[in-house]
Amino acid sequence: MKKYEFLYIVDASLSDEEKEKAIANVTSIVSACGGTCEEPDKWGVRKYAYPINYKQEGFYVLMNFEADDAAPKAITSKLNISKNIVRHMIVAR
């Protein structure tokens, strides 16, 4: 099992309840792909370097997890169809 660092941006226009649901959904996706997650580190709303979908800010979340080599690809394919996750990036630690 490898260790990964996972940074993703949740749409800032969502309510606090919807943001928590989106974070829980991402955690469940990682778990379903065979990963073990640490507690997400919620950075809060931050300004983008450039506009994304005509928006200027997003809610950043950082999460560390352990999983097999195939998990990041499976997680990425599931998050690409999510409408609440604006961007995401998974890197090996």
Side-chain angles (χ1 to χ4, degrees):
M1 304 258 295
K2 290 176 83 175
K3 292 184 179 191
Y4 294 96
E5 190 171 80
F6 181 24
L7 179 69
Y8 57 97
I9 306 171
V10 179
D11 189 359
S13 65
L14 299 174
S15 69
D16 290 339
E17 227 173 72
E18 292 172 326
K19 286 177 191 168
E20 290 300 323
K21 284 182 185 177
I23 293 168
N25 185 32
V26 170
T27 304
S28 67
I29 288 172
V30 172
S31 297
C33 291
T36 55
C37 305
E38 293 179 12
E39 187 66 27
D41 184 16
K42 300 170 189 161
W43 291 0
V45 176
R46 295 189 179 220
K47 210 166 213 186
Y48 295 148
Y50 54 89
I52 301 174
N53 296 333
Y54 304 104
K55 296 183 182 176
Q56 299 293 327
E57 56 189 22
F59 189 85
Y60 285 68
V61 181
L62 177 70
M63 181 173 63
N64 295 317
F65 69 95
E66 287 186 36
D68 294 329
D69 293 337
K73 187 174 181 179
I75 294 166
T76 298
S77 67
K78 290 182 181 182
L79 287 179
N80 282 340
I81 60 173
S82 176
K83 63 178 181 170
N84 295 330
I85 306 301
V86 179
R87 294 275 195 276
H88 64 278
M89 183 171 63
I90 301 173
V91 294
R93 289 180 61 192

